[in-house]
Amino acid sequence: MAIRNIRELGDEVLTKKCKMVTEMTPRNKELIEDMLETMYEAGGVGLAAPQVGVLKRIVVIDVTGEDPHILINPRIVESSGEQTGQEGCLSLPGKSGQVTRPNYVKAVALDVNMREFELEGTELLARAICHELDHLEGHMYVEKVEGPLQDVTEEEV
């Protein structure tokens, strides 16, 4: 496993749509392990493959630090409610902004064994699912920010 470089706002790879994953290869398994390690090292709750320069539809999310979710070819099939809150991104360190997202989300994805499963989330997990899936389409949260971006202080990290 290895820590990968996280691409930052302005990097062209973050604006591109990702390709579907058709099989679980040793390279894809290594990518997933590296993404988890990179996310934990950076103190994030989610990371999408394009953030480490790979245009594949793979996302890792762990909002508790103890329950990682690996989503391959994820798509949102249901959402409801609304929440507005501060959101940040490992690809834009030191900044955050107000973003409105659904308060409930149901996603369908493949696991590391390429078996379909559903992941339901509310609040932070719902926000993380939406945020990371946006990356797979070449979008970042700054496109949805309501008002100015703010500097994140050390106490908030």
Side-chain angles (χ1 to χ4, degrees):
M1 294 199 323
I3 304 291
R4 297 201 183 197
N5 290 327
I6 298 175
R7 305 295 182 95
E8 294 188 5
L9 182 65
D11 190 315
E12 193 176 294
V13 75
L14 295 173
T15 67
K16 297 187 182 292
K17 193 169 180 172
C18 294
K19 294 177 175 63
M20 297 289 273
V21 176
T22 57
E23 64 179 324
M24 184 49 61
T25 62
R27 240 176 127 165
N28 285 336
K29 283 185 180 172
E30 180 182 357
L31 171 63
I32 290 166
E33 290 172 5
D34 290 354
M35 287 173 62
L36 285 166
E37 189 173 345
T38 301
M39 175 185 72
Y40 290 131
E41 176 71 21
V45 298
L47 189 68
Q51 291 180 273
V52 293
V54 180
L55 290 172
K56 293 184 179 182
R57 298 185 75 78
I58 300 175
V59 163
V60 296
I61 296 172
D62 189 348
V63 298
T64 65
E66 300 169 359
D67 186 23
H69 301 287
I70 297 157
L71 294 85
I72 300 165
N73 300 334
R75 66 189 194 284
I76 294 172
V77 295
E78 192 178 321
S79 65
S80 64
E82 189 174 275
Q83 60 170 310
T84 301
Q86 287 298 113
E87 196 163 312
C89 181
L90 295 176
S91 291
L92 189 57
K95 298 288 184 182
S96 70
Q98 283 283 113
V99 179
T100 298
R101 301 263 191 198
N103 196 51
Y104 165 81
V105 168
K106 180 194 289 186
V108 174
L110 301 176
D111 64 17
V112 292
N113 298 308
M114 300 301 281
R115 288 195 289 259
E116 190 172 277
F117 73 100
E118 290 182 350
L119 175 63
E120 294 181 274
T122 58
E123 299 170 1
L124 182 56
L125 182 54
R127 178 178 295 281
I129 292 168
C130 293
H131 178 109
E132 299 309 330
L133 269 61
D134 279 353
H135 277 297
L136 302 181
E137 298 297 323
H139 298 289
M140 287 185 60
Y141 84 101
V142 293
E143 298 170 32
K144 300 177 186 291
V145 169
E146 302 158 14
L149 284 174
Q150 298 159 351
D151 291 324
V152 177
T153 63
E154 286 300 314
E155 298 84 52
E156 294 173 306
V157 174

